[in-house]
Structures are given as C-alpha cells and as structure tokens.
C-alpha cells in the first residue's frame, strides 16, 4: 500500500526514539561494518601478495575479479530487493512470509550462479581481453577465472543466508562465519601463491584455489548455522521454502528486478570504467585495482550505516509507521555527512603509506599516490548517493525510481565520461577518476528533493 505524504504527525523525535535509532544502528551496523572491514583488509592484503608477483599478475586478477564483482553486485541487488519484503514480513511477525522469501532467494541465486559459471568457463580469454590487450595478463586472468568461477554457486547460497539474516536483524553468527571464511581465504592465499610451509607455489592459480576452498567452508558453515539450530527464523523445509504461487513470485520480482537491473547496470558500468582506465596501460590497471580496494575499505563504514538504515526503515514500514521510517532516513543522512568528513581526510592521509607498502617503481608509486588523493575527493558524492538509494529509497519499496536514476547516472554519464576522458582528452588516471564523478553529483542533486517529497515511502506487505 502506497503511503505517499499521508503521515499522522506524531512526535517522533523524542529522546527515547533517538536512543532506539542509535542503539539499532550500532547493533545492526557494527557487525556489517566488521564483516566488510575484514573482507576489505584481506582484499588489500591479497592485492599486496599478488602485486609481489608483478604488475601483470595483479592486473590479471583485477580483471578476472570484475566478473565476480558483477556477480556479487547482481546478487546484492536481487537479495536486497527481496529484503524489502523480508524486512517487512519480519516487522509484521510473518514467519511464513520470510520462509517464502528464502525459497525465492535460493532459487534465483542458484540459477544466476550456474549461468555465470558456465559462461565464464567458455569465454574466459575473451572476458579478460575486454580489460587488457597484454597477452600475459589475458593468460593469467583466464587461468584464474576458470578456477574462481566454481565458487559462484556456493557464494549464492551463503549470501542468501547472510542478506536475509540482515533483514531479520540476526547478524552476529553469519557475520562471524563470513569473517572466518575471509580469514581462511587470506591464509590460503599466502600458502598457495608463494608456496609457503611446503605448499606448492601456484601463483595466481593458487589465489583462485584458496578462494574456492574458503567459499566451500563458508557455505557449509552458513547452512549448518540455519539448520543446526532448532528455532532459527530462516529454517524451513523444502515445502515451506517453495510454498509460493506464481502471483506472489511475480509480485516480489516486480520489486526486486528494478534493483537487480540497477545493481547489475552499476556493476557492469564500473567494470567498463575499469576497462577504460586499462587503456592507459598495465600500470594504470594495477593502480586502479589497488585504489578501488583502499576506497572500498574506507567506505565499509558507510555500508554498515546504509544496511542498518535499510533494515530499520523496512521494519518500521512493516509495522505501518511511515513517520518513523522517514525520521530514520533523516538521521541516517546526518550520520553519513559526519562520516564523509572523517573518511575523506583519512584516505588522503593514507595515500603515501599505501604506496610505500606496494613498492612499485617510482612512476607507478607516484601514480598510485595521486590516484588515492583524487579518490578521497570522490567519497562525498559517492556516499551521499549511496545512502539515499541503498539505505533509504529501496527500503521504502521505491525501486523503480532508483533504477531510472542509476541507469541515467551510469550509462549516460559515467561510462561515456570515462572513455571520453581516456581516449579523447587523454588525461591521467587521477583526473579521469575525478571526471567520472559527474555521475555521483547527478545522483545527489536528484535524490535530495525526492527524499523530501516522501513519495518513496511504500508498504509492500
């Protein structure tokens, strides 16, 4: 049921309400922040280890991981779109509805995973060739991709449990499992990339094998977590999981598919932007990989706030309390604005220490420092756009608006600007990163008035 501007005007800014908001923000956001921080720290460590093999190996793994990046972002879109229902079913105390949502998540996640696995296995060289014309990069990347793509079905099930656990605000155990799996991946990377402690030295293929082993362990632990506990909220039989009819499935997918298209489009355009920067050379491709990992590491705190905001807004709408949902959105924006200042300064300060760790030659080190400084300036528009789209509007069920804004921002602004900057203006990598920010500025300018109109608030259950 759409609510639009129909608010009842209750006092929603009392001390108790603020205390409840910040208590839930911390309870939900901290585990998500911890999970993202662990993952990003180990991604940074991975790039350091692979970077020690050489720029070509680092560029190859970075290119191959663009496939996994698109896959996981599409999964995020699929599951977060469905989480609009899961969170509102949970807020309404409808356990049967939550079980149906789990069934749809498993079904759609596995269909996507096996499709991508087969496609990447057949066209590995062609996919890597989109990012680099260096034969060594293509060979390394294809070898990595053909092993790493076996992780996709395991990741799909694990992510379904993880994202639905967020929707029902049960985060501690799934987050711990995910963090342990990521840590195992990091240790195995060290052993198999360099052949430490008697293990074979496998280089980039060792990194792919480590990822596969870690994903299998994570999958096993996630499934055990749900079905090993007697009264777990997500535990359901096959009959309960798939006890939905076509009408319900279509209704859910009408909400979820705009998010899938939005996230899939965003991930694809990010990879195309990465490919555009790769035209500047192998060194630029390697620097882009490092800069993106560092940026994602610092942005993890925003992902915690955004996910917590979405879950809390969804819960309030499930309880038919649109006033509080809007107020939660306002508070989340204020929190993000404070964090932007802190993280921008922190990333600028990290630029030289990060470059020193990698120890590239002087031109590449200089390029990395300048790129990190440029990317520190992009945190403000990126994260303001993020909190509106992912932390607020989607939780309100306004997924179609989000899709339209993202398609315009990415396909009409970001990708054209990336190739124009590199191939026509022939600017440096740091300048190219700054120019593509026109897309995030567009998001901010359009999202602010949309939030204030309150038309994003819908109750879907």
């Amino acid at each position: 049921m759409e609510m639009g501007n129909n608010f009842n005007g209750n006092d929603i800014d009392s001390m108790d309400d603020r205390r409840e908001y910040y208590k839930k923000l911390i309870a939900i956001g901290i585990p998500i922040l911890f999970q993202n921080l662990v993952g990003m720290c180990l991604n940074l460590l991975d790039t350091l280890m692979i970077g020690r093999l050489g720029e070509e190996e680092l560029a190859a793994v970075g290119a191959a991981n663009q496939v996994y990046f698109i896959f996981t972002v599409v999964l995020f879109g699929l599951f977060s779109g469905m989480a609009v229902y899961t969170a509102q079913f949970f807020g309404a105390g409808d356990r049967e509805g939550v079980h149906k949502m789990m069934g749809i998540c498993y079904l759609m996640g596995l269909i996507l995973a096996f499709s991508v696995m087969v496609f990447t296995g057949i066209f590995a060289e062609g996919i890597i060739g989109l990012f680099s014309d260096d034969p060594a990069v293509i060979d390394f990347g294809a070898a990595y991709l053909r092993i790493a793509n076996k992780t996709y079905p395991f990741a799909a099930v694990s992510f379904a449990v993880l994202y639905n656990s967020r929707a029902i605000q049960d985060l501690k155990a799934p987050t711990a499992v995910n963090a342990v799996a990521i840590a195992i991946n990091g240790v195995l990377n060290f052993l198999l990339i360099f052949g430490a402690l008697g293990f074979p030295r496998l280089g980039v293929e060792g990194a792919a094998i480590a990822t596969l082993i870690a994903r299998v362990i994570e999958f096993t632990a996630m499934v055990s977590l749900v079905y090993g506990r007697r009264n777990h909220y997500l535990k359901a039989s096959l009959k309960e999981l798939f006890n939905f009819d076509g009408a319900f499935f279509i209704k859910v997918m009408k909400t979820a598919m705009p998010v899938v298209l939005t996230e899939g489009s965003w991930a694809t355009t990010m990879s195309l932007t990465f490919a555009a920067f790769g035209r500047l050379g192998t060194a630029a491709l390697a620097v882009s990989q490092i800069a993106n990992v560092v940026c994602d590491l610092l942005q993890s705190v925003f992902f915690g706030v955004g996910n917590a905001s979405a879950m809390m807004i969804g819960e309030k709408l499930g309880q038919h309390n649109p006033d509080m949902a809007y107020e939660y959105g306002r508070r989340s924006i204020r929190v993000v604005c404070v964090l932007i200042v802190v993280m921008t300064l922190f990333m600028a300060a990290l630029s030289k220490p990060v470059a020193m760790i990698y120890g590239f030659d002087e031109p590449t080190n200089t390029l990395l420092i300048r790129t990190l400084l440029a990317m520190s300036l992009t945190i403000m528009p990126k994260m303001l756009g993020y909190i509106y789209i992912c932390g607020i509007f989607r939780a309100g069920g306004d997924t179609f608006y989000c899709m339209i804004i993202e398609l315009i921002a990415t396909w009409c602004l970001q990708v054209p600007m990336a190739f124009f900057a590199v191939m026509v203006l022939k600017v440096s990598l740091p300048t190219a990163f700054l120019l593509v920010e026109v897309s995030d500025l567009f998001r901010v300018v359009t999202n602010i008035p949309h939030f204030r109109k309150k038309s994003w608030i819908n109750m879907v259950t």
Side-chain angles (χ1 to χ4, degrees):
M1 178 176 67
E2 296 192 5
M3 295 301 296
N5 294 318
N6 298 323
F7 295 89
N8 56 34
N10 292 337
D11 179 11
I12 56 173
D13 199 27
S14 68
M15 182 63 72
D16 287 342
D17 288 331
R18 289 196 297 272
R19 187 180 297 113
E20 178 189 7
Y21 167 80
Y22 288 109
K23 181 179 178 181
K24 285 193 172 184
L25 180 69
I26 293 171
I28 299 173
I30 292 298
I32 296 172
L33 168 62
F34 174 73
Q35 173 204 337
N36 280 301
L37 279 176
V38 171
M40 295 305 171
C41 284
L42 285 170
N43 281 343
L44 188 62
L45 183 60
D46 287 349
T47 62
L48 176 61
M49 288 189 283
I50 295 169
R52 292 294 181 185
L53 297 176
E55 290 181 7
E56 292 173 338
E57 287 86 349
L58 181 58
V61 173
N65 277 335
Q66 291 302 304
V67 179
Y68 183 70
F69 168 68
I70 294 173
F71 169 69
T72 55
V73 170
V74 171
L75 277 184
F76 168 75
L78 185 67
F79 295 156
S80 62
M82 294 178 187
V84 173
Y85 283 85
T86 306
Q88 293 193 27
F89 279 134
F90 176 70
D94 186 348
R95 193 164 187 159
E96 181 181 347
V98 172
H99 290 165
K100 291 178 181 178
M101 294 311 303
M102 282 298 297
I104 296 176
C105 285
Y106 288 144
L107 176 65
M108 297 304 295
L110 287 172
I111 289 174
L112 174 65
F114 281 109
S115 299
V116 176
M117 184 179 73
V118 171
F119 180 82
T120 54
I122 296 173
F123 301 107
E125 285 83 4
I127 292 169
I128 305 302
L130 294 174
F131 300 95
S132 174
D133 55 7
D134 186 328
V137 171
I138 293 173
D139 287 344
F140 284 130
Y144 178 92
L145 184 57
R146 285 200 169 97
I147 298 172
N149 68 359
K150 308 299 189 300
T151 69
Y152 299 167
F154 299 105
V157 174
S158 298
F159 284 9
V161 175
L162 181 63
Y163 284 116
N164 281 279
S165 294
R166 291 178 182 178
I168 65 171
Q169 301 178 23
D170 179 19
L171 294 136
K172 293 181 180 179
T175 299
V177 167
N178 184 252
V180 170
I182 291 170
I184 291 171
N185 192 2
V187 172
L188 289 175
N189 269 349
F190 174 72
L191 296 175
L192 295 176
I193 290 173
F194 300 113
L197 302 179
F199 282 80
R201 181 184 174 90
L202 300 176
V204 295
E205 292 185 15
I209 294 170
T211 299
L212 177 58
I213 294 172
R215 285 299 179 195
V216 172
I217 293 172
E218 180 186 41
F219 162 81
T220 304
M222 284 291 192
V223 173
S224 299
L225 187 65
V226 172
Y227 286 92
R229 290 162 60 182
R230 179 174 299 178
N231 295 314
H232 196 287
Y233 211 89
L234 302 181
K235 182 178 181 179
S237 65
L238 288 175
K239 182 179 180 180
E240 291 170 327
L241 289 172
F242 299 105
N243 185 31
F244 54 84
D245 56 25
F248 179 76
F249 178 81
I250 292 172
K251 180 183 177 182
V252 171
M253 295 311 293
K254 281 183 177 179
T255 301
M257 285 311 296
V259 185
V260 174
L261 290 174
T262 300
E263 292 298 328
S265 173
W266 176 79
T268 302
T269 54
M270 288 296 291
S271 293
L272 287 173
T273 303
F274 188 72
F277 295 160
R279 298 300 177 234
L280 294 172
T282 300
L285 197 62
V287 166
S288 296
Q289 167 79 349
I290 297 167
N292 281 324
V293 171
V294 174
C295 195
D296 287 344
L297 172 64
L298 297 186
Q299 289 173 0
S300 294
V301 64
F302 298 98
F303 301 150
V305 173
N307 278 274
S309 174
M311 296 305 102
M312 292 189 290
I313 288 172
E315 180 186 19
K316 289 302 177 184
L317 292 177
Q319 296 169 355
H320 289 225
N321 192 347
D323 298 298
M324 188 58 73
Y326 179 76
E327 181 60 24
Y328 276 9
R330 289 181 58 196
R331 292 173 186 170
S332 296
I333 293 166
R334 290 198 292 265
V335 170
V336 164
C337 287
V338 173
L339 291 172
I340 284 171
V341 176
V342 176
M343 292 301 163
T344 298
L345 295 173
F346 191 41
M347 185 168 183
L350 279 178
S351 58
K352 288 186 178 179
V354 169
M356 290 175 62
I357 292 173
Y358 281 88
F360 293 128
D361 58 38
E362 187 60 31
T364 305
N365 272 343
T366 300
L367 180 63
L368 178 54
I369 292 170
R370 290 176 178 173
T371 301
L372 290 172
L373 287 172
M375 289 193 74
S376 71
L377 300 177
T378 71
I379 291 177
M380 185 275 287
K382 281 184 185 297
M383 293 301 100
L384 276 180
Y386 166 78
I387 191 63
Y388 280 113
I389 295 291
C390 298
I392 298 173
F393 297 158
R394 284 182 187 167
D398 194 13
T399 56
F400 183 76
Y401 167 84
C402 296
M403 180 184 70
I404 297 300
I405 293 299
E406 287 296 303
L407 290 176
I408 294 173
T410 53
W411 289 105
C412 297
L413 296 173
Q414 180 177 314
V415 172
M417 180 57 76
F419 281 95
F420 180 73
V422 169
M423 303 184 74
V424 179
L425 298 180
K426 299 187 184 300
V427 299
S428 65
L429 182 63
T431 304
F433 267 114
L434 291 175
L435 287 176
V436 299
E437 278 308 294
V438 64
S439 61
D440 287 312
L441 291 172
F442 168 77
R443 291 183 181 95
V444 174
V445 170
T446 53
N447 288 339
I448 290 174
H450 187 70
F451 173 76
R452 291 173 177 170
K453 285 193 300 184
K454 304 175 183 177
S455 57
W456 54 272
I457 298 181
N458 305 276
M459 287 185 285
V460 298
T461 59

